[in-house]
Amino acid sequence: MDNTKMPLIGKAMSDLQRQAREVDKSKPLFIELGRSFTNGAGQSVEVGVGTTRRKPARIYRMNPGMTQAETALVLNAIYCQVMDVFSGQVPAEFRRTDLESKLRNGEISVREFVRSLAGSEIYRRRFYTPYPNTKVIEFLFRHLLGRAPATQAEIRQYNQILASAGLKAAVEAMVDSPEYAQYFGEDVVPYNRFPSLPAGNYLGSVKAATDLVKTPWSSLSPSYLGGRV
């Protein structure tokens, strides 16, 4: 072999090795988390794949001297949380004008509004009558404490209350709990406290995790017909 050609061969091999080490910029990198690469600049996963529940929850508090517009925002937040209105547009049939008037006049607190709404006939038809107790307990934890049941003991505790005393008793127990008082007190609207965590492990069910993370609860609520009374 012509020794004068050896440097050229060496350079060619070096170029091939360098190219092999280079990353194809046209493909997303595995380590570049948080980008979907659906366009040239990259798109946030939170926007790109519908994981809006990872966003921090907005907290609403009822304060003295609030304007009518500010009070309306608090009322809307209560309905959206307790009645699971994901669109933000509260149906007229969900509204309790008697409770709204009392809250505006300072006769009741946000906590009392939440208590009455969760124990109302409209809540019963939407989240209690069509479902077994385990699903009702999921709803109550989500709507009133902003989380999923953490243990089987919690599920057993509220299952016993539902079975022996009914929905209103379970609502009373949850709204009067130390946990509710600690996080929401009298004036804060309950909110989703763990927006980034799947919450299906308490039932050991893949379906439960799918429901809580991917499916709007409002789409799981059937018509008011059928089920328990």
Side-chain angles (χ1 to χ4, degrees):
M1 180 178 293
D2 188 346
N3 290 337
T4 61
K5 296 182 180 179
M6 289 297 293
L8 295 177
I9 296 175
K11 182 177 183 304
M13 295 180 64
S14 177
D15 289 342
L16 288 174
Q17 292 174 350
R18 176 177 55 79
Q19 291 173 8
R21 290 195 299 268
E22 288 183 350
V23 177
D24 184 355
K25 299 297 185 179
S26 66
K27 298 178 181 179
L29 300 179
F30 179 77
I31 61 172
E32 287 193 49
L33 303 178
R35 297 288 175 178
S36 68
F37 287 87
T38 57
N39 55 39
Q43 185 182 42
S44 169
V45 165
E46 282 71 22
V47 175
V49 296
T51 53
T52 54
R53 297 193 184 196
R54 295 179 181 274
K55 296 179 181 178
R58 186 170 183 180
I59 300 174
Y60 293 86
R61 181 190 299 272
M62 190 73 182
N63 295 316
M66 293 178 66
T67 66
Q68 290 188 2
E70 291 170 336
T71 303
L73 288 175
V74 171
L75 287 168
N76 196 70
I78 296 173
Y79 286 116
C80 287
Q81 172 66 25
V82 178
M83 299 303 294
D84 242 329
V85 181
F86 276 79
S87 67
Q89 301 296 318
V90 180
E93 62 267 25
F94 288 1
R95 292 196 172 275
R96 291 284 305 273
T97 55
D98 56 331
L99 295 178
E100 291 183 21
S101 178
K102 289 181 179 180
L103 186 65
R104 291 180 185 277
N105 295 333
E107 299 175 32
I108 61 174
S109 65
V110 169
R111 178 190 270 193
E112 292 309 310
F113 194 114
V114 168
R115 184 198 308 273
S116 296
L117 186 60
S120 67
E121 182 62 24
I122 191 69
Y123 188 95
R124 176 183 295 274
R125 290 178 180 178
R126 185 168 166 80
F127 298 110
Y128 175 75
T129 301
Y131 296 104
N133 281 358
T134 50
K135 179 61 72 175
V136 174
I137 292 166
E138 292 178 33
F139 285 135
L140 288 173
F141 268 87
R142 173 175 168 78
H143 298 158
L144 304 184
L145 294 180
R147 66 175 178 87
T151 65
Q152 289 290 338
E154 286 185 333
I155 296 174
R156 286 194 297 270
Q157 174 190 352
Y158 281 93
N159 192 39
Q160 290 174 357
I161 296 173
L162 283 172
S164 62
L167 176 63
K168 284 191 176 181
V171 170
E172 292 281 344
M174 201 167 287
V175 173
D176 288 335
S177 68
E179 181 179 353
Y180 187 103
Q182 177 183 353
Y183 287 97
F184 312 123
E186 293 296 325
D187 302 315
V188 174
V189 178
Y191 55 89
N192 189 2
R193 289 157 51 203
F194 301 102
S196 63
L197 297 179
N201 58 338
Y202 57 95
L203 293 179
S205 168
V206 174
K207 177 66 167 57
T210 302
D211 284 351
L212 284 166
V213 176
K214 297 181 181 179
T215 305
W217 280 106
S218 53
S219 69
L220 298 178
S221 301
S223 65
Y224 301 152
L225 302 176
R228 296 177 292 188
V229 178

